[in-house]
Every structure is written in structure tokens, then in C-alpha cells.
Amino acid sequence: MKVSRRGLGVGAAIGGGLLVAWWLVPRRYPNPLSPQDGEHAFDAWLKIAEDGVVTLAVPQLEMGQGITTLIPQIVAQELGADWRQIAVEPAAISAVYANQPLARRWLPLWDSSSTGVSQDIDAGLAARFAERERLNVTADGTSIAAYEQPCRIAAAAARAMLAMEAASRWEATWEECEVANGFVTLGDNRASFGELAAGAATRSPPDPAPLRPEASGEPFFSTLPSDEDGASGAFPRLDLPSKVDGSYQFAGDVRLPGMVYASIRHGPNHGAELSGFDLNAAKGVRGIKGIVKSRRWLAVAAETWWSAEQALNAMRPQFTTDYPVESGRVAERLERSVRIGNSYRVAETGFGAAGLERVNMARQYDVEPACAAPRETACAVARYRDGQLELWIATQAPEQARRAAAKALGFAPEDVVLYPMPAGGSFDARLEHDHAIEIALIAREVNAPVQLTWPRRDELIRTRPRAPAAILIGAQLTQQAGGAAGAIDAMRVRIACPPSALEFGARLLRDRTTWAAIGETSGLMDTLACEGAVPAYKLPSLVVDHVPVEIGLPTGRVRGNAHSYAAFAIESFLDEVASDNGREPLSYRIAMLGEDIRMVACLQRAAQLAEWNGGADQSGQGLACHRIGDAETGGRIACVANVRAGEGGLRVAKLSVAVDIGRMINRDIARQQIEGGLIFGMGVALGAAPRWRAGLPTSFRYEDLGLPTLSECPEVDIAFIASENAPVDPGELGAVVAPPAIANALFSATGLRSRRLPLLSDGL
């Protein structure tokens, strides 16, 4: 069979053969997709059964973002399948599914010395790294960028093979055949995918695969008003019916014969060690099957999870730590560092530092840590037997979780079988894999299948929050005669925060402990910790400096990441400049956007939706916009928040949003993601920041995070801007734009400016 550099090894999948991945240098990998009886694999992405069911392998974690609908939709549209015949299964861990765009974005985390040598070299290094590490990681909104084209090529090749098989039966050329709605047709001839599957799978695809002229997506109904431009209904979520009837399976739903249930206690989240516990106190609890002691945690397995939890309460485990984190000390370090700490230059545009001759206006913005706080706490199931471990777990980084569990047991990674499970929310919390290590050790000790579920208190103790930051912004404003008052000639952004992304990378990619990761990265420049600090505005001069700060608190990835505090500071600062100089906030922003007409369109449409009145005093309207990504490929969002007095004080009444996310694949899912992001951002803006005393959270209650309840959620009005640009993940846009829009609305409503996030940390 001939396989080209431009195609996928489709036919080679037959009989468990090899697939060819042409990334930098051709390599061969075992086909990870295993057909069952009556199924025929066409490549690593899809198989077709003789009953017509088309099963797609999805190598990304489903955590509510809809990826198990988006990837199948791409394949179904390119293949010509009927949506009702589509099924999904999680993809096995394999280099075939390596997430190369993410590896490229994360290059500073694993090879900072090579970053920026050239785009080609960076891409080549990323490809090698992603394959070698089997980097099937779900993060940073890279799923479509990583998998749309391979999926389209695979589906186009399979479509051609089906047409070839049909044409051979009808004594015609395959190019004459039409493939749509799960059938191949030619005149009066018609054959289903199921009828053709066995023969088609033996054929070699054309080179190159015949892609359809139109990429995947739903029609854009630009003539409909914003509240009517929803999904076409052609591609409803595949996971929706099972989530509604409760049959959708999470790790917490797995049941194995003879399974026991474990709970756990952790000490402070930085080098804590178990110093003692009362073993005798657990004797009064019935059903205990095992007590597992580690250097840093204590777990109990019992017939029920409640019994395990009661035993732990009775034993009262004690911990010691040399690193007792205190929220007050963290704030003091950030405050001091942003003023006088040593810094690194991470970005410089226009005239750069030379353009800043004076500072007419300066403000400091303080952002406290933010937790991912998914409703589903860490949970996993494991079975240890015959020198192997089976692991059922929701993880955004499956190979890294598998390797960590194997290392804990002294196994080779191949001796750990990981079954990917969906997550009930994640917001990047499941990029961490502490519970994979813990359950591996517990399963070995109790000698029975075991399900470990963290209590809420331990989820909060072990959380690695989005890093806190202190951000100092200074601007040189126009003073010359005839210049528009308040126009920014030069701006300097100084961000004091931990090198959070580097710290996270050391844990995930080099398997470092939290305290070792902090030690290795302390004092280093972290460009990813300053993402979003170069705004969409075309300023004559801009510099961004990072002041790395060691705060003693482990930090990690949370929805929005650095964009969340960068957008808050910059959009709040621009609002202050406009207000102090008598400028109307909307026109002020538009005047600085230069050639970014896509962002201008977002601002104008959001203002139209909100019936923007200029943000006049006590109007309760506030405006913000943000871009994630570069000027060519980035996604844009503009938001007008409306705040009004209500029961119990001020509340967010409405969020009016306009979004440009390029070509839209699934409108309904895009809307869900933006709405969810806005509510997440509202929680960051108006909730309660976690605080630490003696290394532990001051509260273990989920409700004390102050997250929005259903009754507190505002009306949300979303308009999508028609675009032919490449698709952009919408999941984080709403989360980063909501806080500054709400902050500016609070100022409009009250005349009081909050420069701290959460906004009500110190009251109004």
C-alpha cells in the first residue's frame, strides 16, 4: 500500500498494522484503535461497523466543553455520515494523537533555551517532544487546532475508500459517487456505510485525500437577532441524553467486583509530612478494609466511603510543615516586589522603553489567588493485580498521570492501563495528578479494587490556585496642543507574580514535587505568566516586565490563567484614564485599536446589544474587551456589564457580549462555553478569594467561595460576529472579560473604584 507524506496511513490500520505520522521525520506507531467484532478500522480516528455505526476516537478529556461532539462533527461532515449513526470512544494514549500546538505553546515549560530560535525549529522541536511524551493533553483551547485537520484528512480518505468500494460494484469511477447521510449513491444505486465497510477498509486512499471545499461548521445566520441566532440543531451534543438520564459514566460511577471505597487526609499544600494519628480511634468504625499511611497523607479504605471518612475523622491525623503559607505574607511580598523587585523584560512593542519619558498616571491592581473549584472532587478507581495496575480516572494529561502512577509503584508505564473517564468540570484542575499516585499506592496495599474520592476539604487543601499578582501600570499621556486628552503615548506594565507556568511545567513534565518545582523555578522569567499583558490596542510604545516572586504557595493553571489578571488590570486602567480625562469609554477604546477592525466590530455590537449610554455616572454600565491570541488568529470578546441595586445590595443584572471566534463549528456549544465562562468570571469578580493561615485554607466549605447561584446569574445576551478566520476556542474569553467589565460597571454605579480582585474583598 502506498502512503504519502500528505496523507494518513489509513489502510495500514488493517489487522493491527502500523500508522505513519509525518511530523518532521516519518515514524511508525501501532494503531491504537482496536476494532471489535463487526467493526473495521480505517485509521487511528474512525471505524465503521457493519450495522453502519461510525465510531470516532477522541483523544481529549470531555469536561463539559463539548469536545466529544466537536471532533465527531468534524469527521461526520467531512465523511458524509448521518449524525444519528455517530458514536464516540475515548482514544488510547498514543503518539499518534500528540497535541503539537500545545507543545509549541508550552515550549518555555520544557525547552526554554530553544524558544524563539525560529518558527520552523520551534515547531519541529514541539512535534518531536509531543510524540515522545505522548502529549495528548487537553489544555489552552488547542483541541481544534491540533485535531481538526488530521480528522478531516482521515474522514476524507475513508469517504473516498467507501466510494471506491461502491464504484467497483457498480462498474463506475469513484469520483462519480456522492457520499452523504450515511450512504454512497450513484444514480439509482445506493449502498450504506455498513454494507461497504468491510470491503472499503481494504482499499488504499487517494493521495492527497479529497477534502471537501468547505471546512466543518454550521451556517452563520447573520440576519437573525442575537437572541435567535442559536444552533441549527443539526449537531446536538452527543453526551446530552446520557447526562440528562443519569447514565453518563464518571470515575465516581465505576463499580468493580469486591470494590472498596477510600477517603484521604492531606496536610498543608507545601511539603507537609504526616506526624501522627490515633490508630486505636478507628477500631470503633465498622467495615474498615485497610489503612494506608504515606509520608504525606493518610487514607482509609472501607466498605463505604462514609465509613472511611468517619475513621479518618476519628484518627485525627496531624501534619507538620516547614512552609506555613499565610495570605498576609503573600500580599506583602507581592506589594514589595512590584515596586522594587528585579524584573525581566518579556515584551516590548513600538518605541519600547525609549518611548516612555514620563509617567502622567500610574495605578496598582492587586489580584488574589483563584481556585478552579470544580464541583466534582478528585476521584479515581484502581485495580492492582498480577504486577499491573488498571486505572479509571479523569485527567487532562493521561500519559503524565499514567507515568506518575507507574513511578510510584516502581512499574514501567506499559504496566499501567489507563481508562480515560470524563470530568464533571475541571477548569484545569485535572492537569494535576496527585490522586493517580495516591490510588495506585492504596490499591497495592489493600489488595482489592478501590475507589478514592477526595473530600471537599482536601480538594481545597491540595488545590494549586491561579497565581496572585500585583500589577503596576504607568502611562505617558498626550500633552501636546491639539492632541486628544488622555491619549496614551506610552505604557509600562509591571507584573509581580510567581513563575506559575514554569512551576506547573516542572510538576507535570518533570514529575517534581510542589516544593521542588517552586525551588527550581524561583526567580525565573515566565512569559506565560504574563500572557494577555500585550493588549489588542495599537499603542505607540509598550513594555511589559515580569517580576518573579516566590510566595511559598504552590500555584497552577485555572481557567483564564494569566489573561484573567492581565485583562482586569489593563481594562480597569484604561477605564480610569478615560474617566479622569473626560473621555467616553467606548470611543476611547476604538480610537486605540488601529487596524483591529474585528475588535472594533465586537465593541460596537456589544454596545448595541446593551443600549450603551456612554457609561455615564450612576448608569451602572461598564465596558471591557480582550483578545486571546495574536492579531491574526486570536479570539475577540467585548462585554458590557449592567449593575443595578437589588435585594442585598448591588448585583449584575445583565451581560451583553459580542464575540469573534472565527469559523464556528458548533454554535450551541460555543454559546454554552461563553455563557459558562462569563459566569465563571463573575464568580472570580464577586466571589471570595481563598485565604491561607498556617498553610491551610481558612475555610473548607465550598459555599464559602461565594460562587454565583442560579438565582444570582444575570441575563446574558450574546452576539457572534461572522468570520472566516480559523476557529478559536471560546472557553476562556468570557472568564477573562467579565471581571473588568463588572469592575467598571461598579464604578459607574457607585463612583468607587475597586483595584483588587475579587472586587468586594475590602468592601465598597
Side-chain angles (χ1 to χ4, degrees), residues 31 70 313 419 435 691 758:
N31 181 17
L70 292 172
N313 287 337
Y419 304 105
H435 56 308
R691 298 186 184 277

Side-chain angles (χ1 to χ4, degrees), residues 2 306 330 372 378 550:
K2 179 182 177 182
W306 183 247
V330 170
E550 200 280 286

Side-chain angles (χ1 to χ4, degrees), residues 492-641:
R492 181 177 183 180
V493 182
R494 186 173 164 89
I495 303 176
C497 67
S500 181
L502 297 180
E503 179 191 327
F504 157 76
R507 289 195 305 269
L508 181 73
L509 303 176
R510 298 198 299 277
D511 200 29
R512 299 294 191 263
T513 61
T514 55
W515 48 97
I518 289 173
E520 286 184 10
T521 60
S522 180
L524 298 182
M525 178 182 72
D526 188 347
T527 56
L528 292 178
C530 299
E531 278 191 309
V534 177
Y537 307 106
K538 190 175 182 180
L539 302 176
S541 173
L542 173 71
V543 294
V544 178
D545 294 331
H546 177 217
V547 184
V549 186
E550 200 280 286
I551 61 173
L553 174 69
T555 56
R557 310 285 285 178
V558 173
R559 190 177 194 175
N561 295 302
H563 284 276
S564 60
Y565 49 74
F568 168 70
I570 290 172
E571 285 299 299
S572 295
F573 181 74
L574 291 180
D575 215 65
E576 291 204 54
V577 176
S579 176
D580 287 1
N581 289 274
R583 299 290 297 274
E584 188 273 320
L586 175 63
S587 59
Y588 182 70
R589 285 172 169 82
I590 289 176
M592 290 190 294
L593 281 170
E595 299 173 355
D596 195 341
I597 59 174
R598 296 172 64 189
M599 183 66 88
V600 172
C602 288
L603 281 165
Q604 291 176 333
R605 186 71 175 106
Q608 181 185 24
L609 290 177
E611 298 181 348
W612 171 256
N613 64 4
D617 290 346
Q618 298 185 333
S619 72
Q621 287 190 327
L623 177 68
C625 63
H626 191 67
R627 184 179 71 206
I628 296 182
D630 59 36
E632 181 179 351
T633 63
R636 278 92 165 158
I637 189 167
C639 175
V640 176

